[in-house]
């Protein structure tokens, strides 16, 4: 009996050790020969071919990128359920897409959903899987040859290969424990995109520090004599991952290395390169493959129409006019990329956001990064896809499937609490609104639609009640809604709504108009016809001045700050990335970086379920009423889920937060003798208790029409 117990314990221990080594460490005994390696996808020339019905046939990748965020959760919480994925997969395939691209290793829910969706599907959704490199690694002291960089990169790739074959136990961190990936989805994974949008400084630093490592030769990949050290590192990573999958699983699939315009393979004029910080390039043509890699490679690029538009600054632009007679540097740049490569080119990210806020402007085609209505977004996506096709690319992947509340944008990140962005929808942040699928506040519908239908408003919403004037207010996770009443209101009348949020500053009068208020106001909402209505901010509380005065005027904002009770109110502007970057003749005090007036209000109706819908509409007249919606950040809320607003910039040298429990609002006209009375609105934080519902945007249906017509 004793020997039997020892034998049983020994067997259990050996099993646990073997299980750990096989599923956790990826250790295995190789048994496959090279001639047993197979593939169902490969490149032939500049096209991708997929094995279908026993034959390799041309396959255009028509894809959708999919992130990992949903409202109320950050990406690292992996909160999307299998039910969500299954519903989304069907919608994506109904749109006409054939591929989904994900960026990183996800929870087992994703792989389970892929398996369940595809296992009995004669027309499956294919997967292009990314391999992520975290921001710390890219923005630290390390070059790409540091063990924490390249070894971790390779280890992550081997984990990914084991995961898609359903043979891995792995922790995702964040207290999620170890996950068993047991579903083999490899029959539908057509390729890998290795890496991320590489930081140019990381590439340049690696090339500088590792000058003698500019060549790599392996059984599957090798570099040319002209390769850089960074390219040699990529070749090593690709080679080791191809070897791992070939020897362990007897399979190969397409490989690509992530790239974008910032590190494209081209040289530019010195002045253009200097102003765009074009200091590094990655050229995957310097990474070649051997005959034993039977799948092949493709060139992957993230290319957007708005930035960086290098070609706009070249002297001869005559070649950049498209068949419509319009300047189209986007199409020209795509063609330049495609013509350069000898392998298939996939534009693995393209898109525009349907946000109110804007970060970059596209001067030629008006496909801006932001300040695009949902209808504009739809037209822009179709135009981008047509440009990609005209350039001869082998496929493209729309960015992205769903809006993601937690995302940030460079020109709004200073203004919000980045630890709480998942709990509210910031319409000023363009990075949140690239999706084809919108998450709108409310379980079934939003509490208010600015459309002239006043049935949503009740007496409980009243904040100010006068004889001829009244004001009602409500709010949700995206907007503050206002309903202003003036007896006999016409569209030529002027209405003024003072708003007091912060006790730290504000003014009881406004310099130019002579308006007076019974308490210090921080903002003035002016309704002045369809074209000239806007929000004004007291100059002490202008975040653009506090954070970007050096960029916009060449002056330190903190040398002579506005006084706390200044009676000067200014339009609200937002800084843009681009502008006249090559001008060297600006003087101190003159406007330098480009800005646009984000406080200017757009007229129209914003009900997505009615004809004439304009998602950018801020206000709408209705007989004696005007209905308005304002995004939280426009009023300097950094985290409305906890009712946090900006504190005094000049006492803290930047943005710090304070919590408020109420704000004060009033309503009046320019010709009133008495100061406009302001009444309190109690504010209640919702914290993480958010509500939302899904809605497909017009861009979804535009791409559906385009792709379905192509498939006929």
């Amino acid at each position: 009996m004793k020997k039997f117990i020892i034998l049983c314990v020994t067997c259990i221990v050996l099993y646990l050790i073997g299980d750990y080594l096989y599923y956790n460490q990826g250790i295995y005994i190789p048994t496959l020969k090279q001639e047993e390696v197979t593939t169902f996808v490969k490149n032939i020339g500049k096209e991708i071919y997929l094995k279908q019905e026993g034959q390799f046939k041309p396959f255009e990748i028509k894809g959708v990128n999919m992130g990992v965020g949903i409202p109320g959760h950050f990406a690292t919480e992996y909160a999307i359920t299998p039910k969500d994925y299954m519903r989304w997969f069907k919608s994506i395939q109904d749109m006409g897409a054939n591929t989904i691209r994900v960026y990183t290793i996800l929870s087992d829910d994703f792989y389970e959903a892929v398996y369940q969706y595809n296992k009995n599907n004669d027309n499956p959704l294919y997967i292009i899987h990314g391999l992520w490199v975290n921001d710390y690694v890219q923005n630290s002291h390390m070059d790409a040859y540091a063990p924490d960089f390249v070894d971790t990169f390779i280890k992550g790739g081997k984990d990914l290969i084991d995961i898609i074959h359903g043979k891995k136990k792995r922790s995702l961190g964040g207290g999620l424990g170890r996950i068993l990936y047991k579903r083999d989805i490899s029959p539908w994974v057509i390729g890998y995109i290795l890496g991320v949008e590489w930081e140019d400084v990381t590439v340049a630093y690696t090339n500088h520090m590792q000058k003698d490592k500019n060549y790599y030769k392996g059984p599957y990949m090798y570099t040319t004599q002209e390769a850089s050290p960074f390219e040699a590192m990529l070749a090593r990573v690709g080679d080791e991952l191809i070897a791992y999958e070939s020897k362990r699983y007897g399979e190969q699939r397409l490989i690509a290395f992530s790239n974008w315009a910032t590190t494209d393979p081209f040289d530019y004029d010195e002045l253009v390169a200097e102003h765009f910080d074009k200091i590094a390039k990655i050229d995957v043509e310097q990474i070649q493959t051997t005959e034993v890699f039977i799948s092949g490679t493709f060139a992957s690029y993230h290319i957007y129409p708005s930035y960086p538009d290098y070609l706009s600054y070249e002297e001869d632009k005559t070649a950049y006019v498209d068949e419509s007679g319009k300047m189209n540097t986007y199409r020209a740049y795509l063609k330049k990329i495609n013509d350069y490569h000898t392998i298939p080119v996939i534009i693995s990210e393209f898109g525009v956001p349907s946000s109110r806020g804007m970060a970059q402007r596209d001067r030629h085609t008006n496909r801006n990064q932001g300040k695009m209505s949902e209808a504009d977004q739809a037209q822009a996506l179709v135009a981008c896809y047509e440009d990609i096709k005209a350039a001869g690319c082998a496929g493209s992947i729309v960015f992205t499937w769903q809006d993601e509340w937690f995302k940030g944008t460079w020109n709004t990140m200073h203004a919000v609490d980045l630890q709480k962005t998942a709990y509210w929808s910031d319409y000023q942040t363009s990075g949140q609104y690239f999706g084809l699928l919108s998450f709108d506040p409310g379980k079934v519908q939003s509490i208010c639609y600015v459309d002239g239908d006043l049935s949503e408003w009740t007496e409980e919403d009243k904040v100010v009640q006068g004889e001829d004037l009244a004001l009602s207010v409500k709010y949700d996770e995206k907007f503050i809604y206002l309903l202003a009443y003036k007896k006999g209101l016409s569209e030529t009348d002027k209405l003024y709504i003072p708003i007091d949020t912060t006790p730290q500053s504000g003014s009881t009068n406004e310099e130019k108009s002579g308006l007076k208020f019974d308490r210090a106001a921080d903002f003035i909402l002016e309704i002045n016809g369809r074209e000239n209505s806007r929000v004004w901010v007291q100059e002490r509380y202008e975040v653009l001045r506090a954070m970007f005065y050096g960029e916009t005027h060449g002056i330190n904002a903190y040398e002579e700050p506005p006084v706390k009770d200044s009676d000067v109110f200014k339009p609200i502007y937002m800084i843009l990335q681009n502008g006249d970057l090559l001008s060297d003749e600006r003087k101190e005090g003159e406007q330098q970086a480009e800005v646009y007036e984000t406080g200017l209000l757009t007229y129209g109706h914003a009900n997505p379920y009615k004809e004439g819908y304009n998602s950018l509409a801020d206000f709408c007249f209705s007989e004696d009423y005007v209905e308005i919606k304002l995004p939280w950040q426009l009023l300097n809320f950094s985290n409305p889920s906890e009712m946090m607003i900006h504190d005094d910039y000049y006492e803290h040298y930047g943005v710090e937060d304070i919590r408020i429990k109420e704000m004060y609002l009033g309503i009046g006209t320019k010709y009133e003798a008495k100061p406009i009375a302001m009444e309190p609105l109690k504010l209640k934080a919702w914290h993480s208790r958010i509500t939302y519902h899904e809605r497909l945007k017009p861009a979804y249906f535009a791409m559906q029409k385009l792709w379905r017509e192509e498939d006929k």
Side-chain angles (χ1 to χ4, degrees):
M1 178 61 74
K2 186 175 183 181
K3 290 181 179 180
F4 176 75
I5 293 173
I6 293 172
L7 179 62
C8 290
V9 170
T10 302
C11 290
I12 292 171
V13 170
L14 290 174
Y15 170 80
L16 292 174
I17 292 172
D19 181 86
Y20 174 77
L21 294 176
Y22 189 80
Y23 287 103
N24 292 45
Q25 298 300 311
I27 295 174
Y28 66 100
I29 299 173
T31 59
L32 293 167
K33 298 178 181 179
Q34 181 57 49
E35 56 267 23
E36 296 175 314
V37 175
T38 62
T39 187
F40 70 96
V41 60
K42 61 184 177 180
N43 69 354
I44 300 177
K46 296 192 67 171
E47 287 189 282
I48 290 172
Y49 281 71
L50 191 69
K51 198 169 188 178
Q52 298 171 310
E53 300 174 347
Q55 293 183 333
F56 280 98
K57 300 178 182 179
F59 182 76
E60 179 194 346
I61 292 174
K62 298 178 180 179
V64 177
N65 288 280
M66 182 175 286
V68 288
I70 57 174
H73 298 276
F74 289 90
T76 51
E77 295 179 62
Y78 303 97
I80 302 172
T81 67
K83 185 177 178 181
D84 294 328
Y85 282 126
M86 293 289 281
R87 182 176 66 256
W88 294 351
F89 290 168
K90 185 179 186 307
S91 294
I92 289 169
Q93 194 160 43
D94 287 347
M95 185 174 62
N98 55 33
T99 305
I100 291 172
R101 183 244 187 137
V102 293
Y103 292 86
T104 188
I105 294 170
L106 303 176
S107 74
D108 58 327
D109 289 338
F110 172 76
Y111 306 92
E112 177 70 28
V114 171
Y115 178 81
Q116 295 297 339
Y117 188 83
N118 281 339
K119 66 177 181 178
N120 295 317
N121 192 343
D122 293 333
N123 183 29
L125 269 176
Y126 293 98
I127 305 297
I128 291 180
H129 210 303
L131 178 58
W132 193 257
V133 174
N134 69 50
D135 292 340
Y136 171 75
V137 168
Q138 273 221 86
N139 294 283
S140 68
H141 63 283
M142 293 181 282
D143 64 63
Y145 283 85
D148 283 349
F149 193 120
V150 68
D151 292 352
T152 302
F153 198 5
I154 294 169
K155 174 65 167 59
K158 291 179 179 179
D159 285 351
L160 171 57
I161 290 167
D162 290 338
I163 284 168
I164 72 152
H165 287 278
K167 291 184 175 4
K168 190 66 183 177
K169 289 181 180 178
R170 189 177 190 268
S171 173
L172 288 172
L176 296 175
R178 299 195 73 76
I179 296 172
L180 172 61
Y181 294 89
K182 60 183 179 181
R183 292 301 191 187
D184 181 1
I185 69 163
S186 62
W188 309 293
V189 178
I190 60 177
Y192 306 115
I193 298 178
L194 307 180
V196 294
E197 293 178 341
W198 300 110
E199 296 291 343
D200 49 1
V201 290
T202 303
V203 178
Y205 182 58
T206 298
N207 293 339
H208 175 74
M209 296 298 292
Q210 304 290 346
K211 294 178 181 177
D212 60 336
K213 296 181 179 178
N214 62 338
Y215 183 71
Y216 175 83
K217 184 176 183 180
Y220 302 94
M221 283 188 167
Y222 65 94
T223 58
T224 68
Q225 295 297 326
E226 291 76 30
S228 70
F230 195 88
E231 290 155 0
M233 180 277 299
L234 292 177
R236 175 191 162 191
V237 172
D239 186 68
E240 292 203 24
L241 298 186
I242 297 166
Y244 184 77
E245 188 164 26
S246 299
K247 294 174 182 178
R248 184 168 190 182
Y249 297 105
E251 294 180 9
Q252 292 177 0
R253 41 195 35 85
L254 297 170
I255 293 279
F257 302 100
S258 186
N259 206 356
W260 58 327
T262 301
T263 50
D264 71 20
F266 306 128
D267 294 314
Y268 294 92
D269 176 89
E270 183 178 350
L271 192 59
V272 173
E274 178 185 347
H275 282 275
F276 279 102
D277 292 326
K278 189 71 172 66
I279 61 172
K281 59 184 181 179
I282 297 172
D283 185 356
V284 295
E285 290 293 318
Q286 308 307 327
I287 302 173
Q288 299 292 309
T289 61
T290 67
E291 291 182 356
V292 294
F293 183 36
I294 57 177
S295 289
T297 60
F298 65 93
S300 169
Y301 285 92
H302 299 173
I303 301 179
Y304 293 84
S306 55
Y307 186 85
D309 188 2
Y310 301 126
L311 301 189
S312 281
Y313 296 92
E314 294 193 357
E315 291 184 7
D316 182 11
K317 304 187 185 71
T318 56
Y320 305 156
V321 177
D322 63 21
E323 67 273 7
S324 69
K326 295 181 180 179
M327 184 72 68
N328 190 342
T329 52
Y330 183 65
R331 179 178 293 192
Y333 182 72
L334 291 164
K335 189 174 188 306
K336 184 175 182 178
I337 287 282
N338 188 65
D339 289 349
Y340 179 79
H341 286 289
T342 60
I343 55 179
V345 173
I346 305 299
I347 307 305
S348 48
E349 275 191 21
F350 75 97
V352 296
S354 60
S355 59
R356 188 182 188 281
M358 177 167 54
Q360 299 163 359
R361 194 192 304 276
D362 173 30
R363 300 187 181 283
H364 301 303
T365 64
N366 296 318
R367 305 172 202 165
N368 305 320
Q369 186 181 331
K371 196 61 176 174
M372 300 278 285
S373 72
E374 291 179 4
D376 294 335
Q377 180 195 34
Q379 293 177 0
L381 278 182
V382 169
C384 285
Y385 177 77
E386 290 173 343
D387 286 342
I388 292 167
K389 290 276 285 186
C393 298
S396 57
I397 309 177
V398 175
F399 183 84
T400 182
W401 171 243
Q402 79 268 37
D403 287 346
E404 294 184 289
W405 288 11
F406 73 89
K407 287 275 184 77
T409 305
W410 70 272
N411 65 344
T412 60
M413 291 176 73
H414 63 278
V416 299
D417 180 352
L418 297 175
Q419 304 300 313
K420 302 293 183 180
T421 50
Y423 308 129
W424 61 293
S425 181
D426 183 9
Y427 208 24
Q428 294 292 95
T429 293
S430 60
Q432 295 188 10
Y433 294 93
F434 280 89
L436 302 171
L437 179 72
S438 175
F439 295 119
D440 296 344
K443 289 183 179 181
V444 178
Q445 62 182 24
S446 299
I447 62 168
C448 185
Y449 295 105
V450 172
D451 59 358
D453 180 358
L454 309 184
S455 61
E456 302 144 327
W457 296 90
T458 69
E459 284 297 313
E460 294 179 357
D461 301 320
K462 284 276 177 65
V463 175
V464 178
Q465 178 64 67
E467 185 175 338
D468 296 323
L469 295 167
L471 182 67
S472 300
V473 185
K474 61 175 68 179
Y475 54 85
D476 61 20
E477 293 92 338
K478 191 172 183 178
F479 296 114
I480 302 172
Y481 303 93
L482 303 98
L483 181 65
Y485 166 79
K486 179 181 182 294
K487 186 176 181 180
L489 177 69
S490 75
E491 293 189 16
T492 60
D493 289 341
K494 292 183 180 180
L495 283 178
Y496 296 93
I497 299 173
I499 303 171
D500 172 27
T501 55
T502 173
Q504 307 291 58
S505 56
S507 177
T508 56
N509 60 285
E510 197 277 315
E511 176 191 44
K512 292 182 180 179
S513 66
L515 288 169
K516 297 185 182 299
F517 323 111
D518 71 353
R519 60 181 299 121
D522 304 295
F523 300 91
I524 301 171
L525 168 57
E526 177 188 11
I527 300 300
N528 181 15
R530 298 190 178 197
E531 303 296 330
N532 293 303
S533 296
R534 55 177 40 85
V535 180
W536 303 81
V537 62
Q538 193 238 12
E539 65 172 345
R540 175 87 176 189
Y541 208 37
E542 182 193 10
V543 68
L544 180 76
R545 184 190 194 280
M547 300 304 296
F548 294 108
Y549 209 44
E551 288 83 350
T552 59
H553 289 78
I555 298 174
N556 186 333
Y558 296 89
E559 289 184 356
E560 295 183 11
V563 296
K564 286 195 172 189
D565 61 350
S566 170
D567 60 2
V568 175
F569 284 74
K570 302 178 70 175
I572 302 175
Y573 290 95
M574 182 175 280
I575 192 169
L576 298 178
Q577 177 95 15
N578 47 347
D580 188 9
L581 295 173
L582 304 188
S583 174
D584 292 322
E585 300 178 355
R586 294 196 176 97
K587 299 177 183 178
E588 183 179 292
E590 293 181 352
Q591 180 176 309
Q592 298 184 21
E594 185 178 358
V595 298
Y596 83 100
E597 189 181 357
T598 189
L600 185 66
L601 302 182
T602 298
Y603 184 81
H605 92 75
N607 188 331
Y609 305 106
K610 290 185 177 180
E611 188 177 350
Y613 163 61
N614 179 1
S615 60
L616 294 180
D618 298 305
F619 72 110
C620 181
F621 289 111
S622 178
E623 295 184 354
D624 293 340
Y625 294 87
V626 57
E627 199 172 18
I628 310 148
K629 62 178 172 64
L630 300 177
W632 288 101
Q633 195 200 124
L634 193 65
L635 299 182
N636 290 348
F637 277 81
S638 57
N639 171 23
S641 71
E642 295 179 354
M643 294 304 164
M644 303 292 285
I645 63 168
H646 297 178
D647 203 343
D648 189 292
Y649 307 122
Y650 301 97
E651 290 186 358
H652 298 282
Y653 293 91
V655 176
E656 295 290 340
D657 297 334
I658 55 172
R659 178 178 282 105
I660 58 173
K661 296 181 179 180
E662 59 189 10
M663 57 192 292
Y664 287 79
L665 303 96
I667 183 169
T669 65
K670 184 177 180 179
Y671 305 104
E672 293 182 355
K674 294 182 179 179
I676 297 174
M678 300 172 68
E679 301 294 337
L681 170 70
K682 297 295 181 181
L683 298 173
K684 184 177 180 181
W686 59 82
H687 301 284
S688 61
R689 299 184 296 274
I690 57 97
T691 62
Y692 69 93
H693 60 282
E694 297 178 359
R695 175 178 58 84
L696 292 169
K697 297 183 190 177
Y700 171 92
F701 300 102
M703 294 304 297
Q704 182 185 61
K705 180 180 178 182
L706 182 66
W707 279 343
R708 283 185 170 181
E709 287 181 353
E710 284 187 342
D711 291 339
K712 287 180 180 178

